[in-house]
Amino acid sequence: MKKIVFILITVVALCSSCGEYNRILKATDYELKYSYAKKYFSQRKYARAATLLEEVVHIFRGTQYAEESLYLLAQSYYGQKDYETASLNFKQYYQTYPKGEFAELARFYSGYGLYLDSPDPRLDQKLTYDAIAELQLYMEYYPQSERAKQAQEILFELQEKLAYKELISTQLYYRLGTYMGNNYRSCVITAENALRDYPYSKYREEFIFLKIKAKYELAIVSIEDRLQGRYRDVVDEYYSYLNEYPEGKYVKQVSKFFDYASKQISSSY
């Protein structure tokens, strides 16, 4: 019996809540709508808050409520985990109110939300690049902020994600080998670009190793005119690797490449 009463009370409360919300939606008193938008926001009913705020932010332009209503709209989308839309609204806020009360928070959450939305490294990384751009701007504007350290850590994390995406591409080119063309050259180019773009990545040794492996394979399949030059490339890459990673995890493997390449160079004389 108590359970039935509880269910009935819950249903009545929900119906009452929906009735109230529908009534507010139809209202023409925008200040009333705004007060309810703030109420719903405080109750974490972000979808309702966003719906009301979408209407009032346009009405409130140039008024005392304009700044706060736009920021709350962005936070309402953020609360719904619609981070891309939230970022657009945060960006609109700090562009409209560069010295506004919520300017620092808007710049931070504009990037942080996109970071939360950043996809798997195998997918398109537009949101990752956008997040990096927003957080770099935040760091420029607020280098001493209490959130600056967090922003910096996120930037490192996102850079590593992009580096890993390049590592996946580099590995793929190597595995493809001579399938439908010479993919070893693409492997080398991708590795070199990654080393230039992400010089401090934790994947640095992997890129260097893949570059050596690909150059070794390039030498193996080369025509006679290019053979010696490419074996010398392998020898040069070996010394570069050893100089940077004298006890690296690929020392044995690159040493084999070096030994073979050296013998081929010697036998040509």
Side-chain angles (χ1 to χ4, degrees):
M1 185 65 180
K2 288 182 179 179
K3 187 176 181 180
I4 294 172
V5 171
F6 174 76
I7 292 172
L8 287 172
I9 292 172
T10 303
V11 170
V12 170
L14 286 171
C15 289
S16 175
S17 174
C18 290
E20 174 193 79
Y21 177 60
N22 289 328
R23 178 173 59 83
I24 297 302
L25 278 176
K26 296 173 184 176
T28 55
D29 184 338
Y30 294 107
E31 289 191 17
L32 178 67
K33 282 190 172 184
Y34 185 46
S35 68
Y36 270 89
K38 293 189 355 180
K39 172 187 171 182
Y40 291 136
F41 182 85
S42 68
Q43 294 173 344
R44 298 188 177 183
K45 296 177 180 178
Y46 299 119
R48 291 186 176 187
T51 300
L52 294 172
L53 287 164
E54 280 285 7
E55 183 178 359
V56 301
V57 290
H58 302 293
I59 302 297
F60 285 162
R61 282 177 183 169
T63 72
Q64 60 180 322
Y65 305 115
E67 183 179 339
E68 184 186 52
S69 63
L70 180 55
Y71 180 73
L72 283 178
L73 177 61
Q75 283 288 5
S76 294
Y77 281 117
Y78 184 88
Q80 294 177 75
K81 299 184 179 180
D82 183 353
Y83 299 121
E84 197 168 359
T85 305
S87 180
L88 289 172
N89 282 281
F90 281 128
K91 192 170 184 177
Q92 184 182 348
Y93 174 89
Y94 72 67
Q95 288 177 338
T96 307
Y97 308 103
K99 296 183 179 180
E101 180 182 355
F102 310 105
E104 181 187 339
L105 287 171
R107 284 190 178 277
F108 177 78
Y109 282 111
S110 178
Y112 186 71
L114 293 173
Y115 155 69
L116 295 176
D117 237 7
S118 178
D120 182 275
R122 292 168 180 81
L123 302 176
D124 179 75
Q125 294 300 302
K126 179 184 180 303
L127 289 180
T128 303
Y129 285 110
D130 289 345
I132 288 172
E134 289 297 314
L135 289 169
Q136 284 176 335
L137 280 174
Y138 175 79
M139 292 291 294
E140 288 178 21
Y141 276 87
Y142 305 101
Q144 305 302 321
S145 166
E146 61 182 23
R147 296 176 184 81
K149 182 180 179 181
Q150 183 183 4
Q152 187 65 69
E153 289 171 352
I154 292 170
L155 282 170
F156 286 141
E157 183 182 337
L158 293 174
Q159 291 284 349
E160 288 290 28
K161 176 178 280 191
L162 294 177
Y164 183 61
K165 183 176 178 64
E166 292 306 301
L167 180 61
I168 293 171
S169 296
T170 307
Q171 291 168 332
L172 177 61
Y173 282 127
Y174 181 82
R175 288 196 299 270
L176 287 172
T178 55
Y179 177 70
M180 295 184 71
N182 194 332
N183 293 289
Y184 294 124
R185 182 58 185 158
S186 296
C187 176
V188 171
I189 292 170
T190 307
E192 287 176 342
N193 288 340
L195 288 166
R196 182 196 64 218
D197 295 338
Y198 312 106
Y200 307 110
S201 171
K202 63 183 177 183
Y203 304 113
R204 180 175 177 81
E205 186 178 0
E206 315 294 328
F207 284 119
I208 294 174
F209 175 61
L210 281 165
K211 185 168 71 160
I212 297 172
K213 279 211 303 182
K215 285 195 171 186
Y216 173 76
E217 296 294 345
L218 268 174
I220 296 292
V221 300
S222 285
I223 60 174
E224 188 65 32
D225 289 348
R226 296 181 179 177
L227 199 61
Q228 291 303 307
R230 285 183 171 169
Y231 278 128
R232 288 191 179 91
D233 276 350
V234 174
V235 170
D236 290 343
E237 291 294 343
Y238 164 78
Y239 283 120
S240 294
Y241 175 84
L242 214 63
N243 182 58
E244 193 163 346
Y245 300 101
E247 297 181 4
K249 56 184 176 181
Y250 300 113
V251 168
K252 287 185 179 180
Q253 288 168 271
V254 298
S255 294
K256 291 179 182 178
F257 301 150
F258 169 77
D259 290 342
Y260 184 82
S262 298
K263 287 177 184 176
Q264 298 306 309
I265 293 170
S266 298
S267 65
S268 68
Y269 292 103

